[in-house]
Amino acid sequence: MIKKIVEGSFNNRKKLLNIIFQLKRPPVFVFSMILFIVLFGPWLAPYDPLEPKPMDTLAAPSWAHWFGTDNYGFDVLSRVLYAAQIDFSLALIGVLIGGGIGSLLGASAAYKGGITDFVLLRFVEVIQSFPVLLFALALFAAIGGGSRNMILAIAIVNIPMYLRIIRSSLLPLRTAEFVDAARCAGLNGFTIVIKHFIPNAKGQIFSLFVLSCAYAIQIIAGLSFIGLGVEPPHPEWGSMINAGAGYIMLGVWWPSIFPGLAIVISVYAINGLSRQQMTGQIRSSI
């Protein structure tokens, strides 16, 4: 009994040290800070992001306004903090929907093969023949702008990527012995796909999910920059950059630079997290 308690405490301590070691890595640490801002940003903001102060327009960074104010008198720091929650929420929901549908279709194509596999691959090739941002613009031209349609566009953009990668990783399982055993046990195709195929691709799905969130944030910022994203006056990093871009030549750099830095840091942290996950998979497979 005492031996089990000692072994359990040792294992818990080892897990805790491993978590601390992972948090010391720059991408993980930065991502943890960003996640904290996403969750608690509205409570950390010193001002209301939707309350302009006309008497304080284009104020330089100071103790009163750490990131300065924009041309409407909005506090830039408050809007950057609020925009983090908006951008990450839209990216997360869109990628979850697209990734879920794409993973299911990819696993189904790997399992069934034949005409199903052929049709789904042709669908992927048609969509991926367009640049991602251009395809998202075409979708917005067809369905209109707004937050809901942005989520729909991100989901549709992610479906082909998940479909192709998950299908490729699961294709060797089509003739695996445990799949034949599942068929002999009377399981239908959908149950085999859900219980046996998709769990074998969870590592690829997670790595792709993290990377897709970085792409989604860039798409959201790019579409909002040209006025097709989040409806104003709600804060969004891309629209904030656009609003302050005309003042950079006048020496007023802070309305655009700080939201731009937020995008760069977020994408760096997410890409680093994805790269670290993929490196761990490669090491575990050797």
Side-chain angles (χ1 to χ4, degrees):
M1 184 68 181
I2 297 176
K3 183 178 179 181
K4 290 183 178 179
I5 295 175
V6 172
E7 289 178 352
S9 61
F10 177 76
N11 291 332
N12 292 333
R13 183 181 178 185
K14 187 177 180 180
K15 291 179 181 178
L16 180 61
L17 291 175
N18 185 44
I19 293 174
I20 294 174
F21 174 75
Q22 294 293 335
L23 288 175
K24 287 182 178 180
R25 298 187 175 185
V28 180
F29 176 75
V30 174
F31 182 78
S32 302
M33 296 299 297
I34 293 173
L35 187 61
F36 177 81
I37 292 173
V38 169
L39 294 175
F40 302 103
W43 290 274
L44 297 174
Y47 299 94
D48 186 347
L50 301 178
E51 182 182 353
K53 294 185 178 182
M55 301 301 294
D56 294 330
T57 58
L58 299 178
S62 62
W63 286 111
H65 301 280
W66 288 9
F67 287 5
T69 61
D70 62 10
N71 53 316
Y72 294 104
F74 290 116
D75 181 68
V76 175
L77 173 60
S78 300
R79 289 177 68 80
V80 167
L81 293 176
Y82 267 82
Q85 191 173 81
I86 294 175
D87 282 40
F88 272 81
S89 298
L90 294 176
L92 182 63
I93 296 172
V95 172
L96 280 175
I97 295 173
I101 297 173
S103 299
L104 183 60
L105 291 177
S108 300
Y111 172 73
K112 288 184 174 296
I115 187 65
T116 302
D117 190 19
F118 177 81
V119 171
L120 288 175
L121 282 180
R122 299 297 82 76
F123 164 75
V124 167
E125 290 172 358
V126 169
I127 294 182
Q128 290 191 328
S129 62
F130 298 94
V132 174
L133 189 57
L134 182 61
F135 184 71
L137 284 172
L139 285 175
F140 265 70
I143 63 179
S147 299
R148 292 183 180 178
N149 290 337
M150 180 175 287
I151 292 174
L152 178 61
I154 292 172
I156 294 175
V157 164
N158 278 278
I159 288 174
M161 181 168 54
Y162 278 83
L163 196 160
R164 180 182 286 275
I165 294 178
I166 300 305
R167 172 196 172 274
S168 299
S169 64
L170 295 179
L171 202 58
L173 299 183
R174 185 185 297 173
T175 56
E177 293 182 357
F178 72 90
V179 175
D180 293 334
R183 292 194 191 100
C184 294
L187 298 180
N188 57 39
F190 182 77
T191 304
I192 293 174
V193 167
I194 295 298
K195 290 188 175 181
H196 297 286
F197 268 60
I198 292 182
N200 279 281
K202 60 183 180 181
Q204 291 88 342
I205 292 174
F206 177 77
S207 299
L208 192 57
F209 171 78
V210 176
L211 192 62
S212 299
C213 286
Y215 283 122
I217 289 174
Q218 295 176 70
I219 292 172
I220 292 169
L223 293 175
S224 297
F225 181 83
I226 60 178
L228 295 177
V230 179
E231 301 87 348
H234 296 288
E236 198 285 323
W237 289 334
S239 60
M240 292 175 65
I241 295 173
N242 182 33
Y247 298 93
I248 293 179
M249 298 300 294
L250 302 176
V252 182
W253 48 268
W254 50 90
S256 292
I257 292 298
F258 287 116
L261 286 175
I263 296 174
V264 171
I265 294 172
S266 299
V267 172
Y268 158 77
I270 296 173
N271 283 337
L273 193 66
S274 176
R275 185 166 54 251
Q276 182 176 322
Q277 171 68 16
M278 294 176 67
T279 303
Q281 291 178 13
I282 294 172
R283 288 176 179 173
S284 62
S285 63
I286 296 177

